[in-house]
Amino acid sequence: SDQSFRALLARVRSGDEEAAAALVREYEPAIRRAIRVRLTDPGLRRVVDSVDVCQSVMANFFVRMQAGQFDFDSPKQMLNLLLTMAQNRLRDHVRGQRAERR
C-alpha cells in the first residue's frame, strides 16, 4: 500500500537496517535482471556482474536517500530511478573497460 511504502522509506531515511534490507529484497531482483539484459559484452562480464552493479547502485541510493535527495510518490517511481541508476553505473563500467583497452 501507499502508506506502507512511505513508512518503509521513512525508516530507510532514518537509517533502519531492517527497512534497508527489506527494500533490497524487494527491488534487487528487478535491478539485477535489467543489468543482466544489458550486460552483453563478454569481456565486461568477466570483470563485472549484476551483483557488483546492484550493490554499487544500492549503496549510492541509501547514501543519497539518507541525505534527503529523493522523494517518491510510488514504488514504480523509485524502481524507475533505481533502474536508471543501474543503467548509468553499467555505462560507467563499459566506458572504463573501453578506456583500459586503449
Side-chain angles (χ1 to χ4, degrees):
S1 80
D2 212 32
Q3 194 170 17
S4 63
F5 173 71
R6 291 185 192 284
L8 178 66
L9 293 183
R11 289 176 50 210
V12 167
R13 270 192 203 99
S14 71
D16 183 329
E17 289 184 21
E18 286 181 31
L23 194 140
V24 168
R25 278 191 306 275
E26 179 72 26
Y27 293 96
E28 182 183 35
I31 296 166
R32 288 190 55 204
R33 188 170 35 257
I35 294 165
R36 283 192 306 269
V37 166
R38 289 176 176 84
L39 194 55
T40 57
D41 181 338
L44 187 58
R45 272 197 303 231
R46 282 193 287 276
V47 294
V48 68
D49 68 5
S50 64
V51 174
D52 297 330
V53 176
C54 188
Q55 287 177 346
S56 175
V57 165
M58 294 308 289
N60 181 280
F61 173 80
F62 288 126
V63 167
R64 294 172 68 187
M65 187 72 179
Q66 287 183 333
Q69 289 186 12
F70 302 131
D71 188 30
F72 303 104
D73 295 323
S74 69
K76 182 176 169 87
Q77 186 183 31
M78 186 176 75
L79 177 60
N80 287 340
L81 172 70
L82 290 168
L83 293 174
T84 299
M85 290 172 71
Q87 186 174 351
N88 291 341
R89 183 65 50 153
L90 188 57
R91 189 177 308 125
D92 292 344
H93 282 292
V94 168
R95 286 183 186 141
Q97 276 299 107
R98 287 182 183 152
E100 282 181 22
R101 289 180 188 164
R102 287 184 207 138

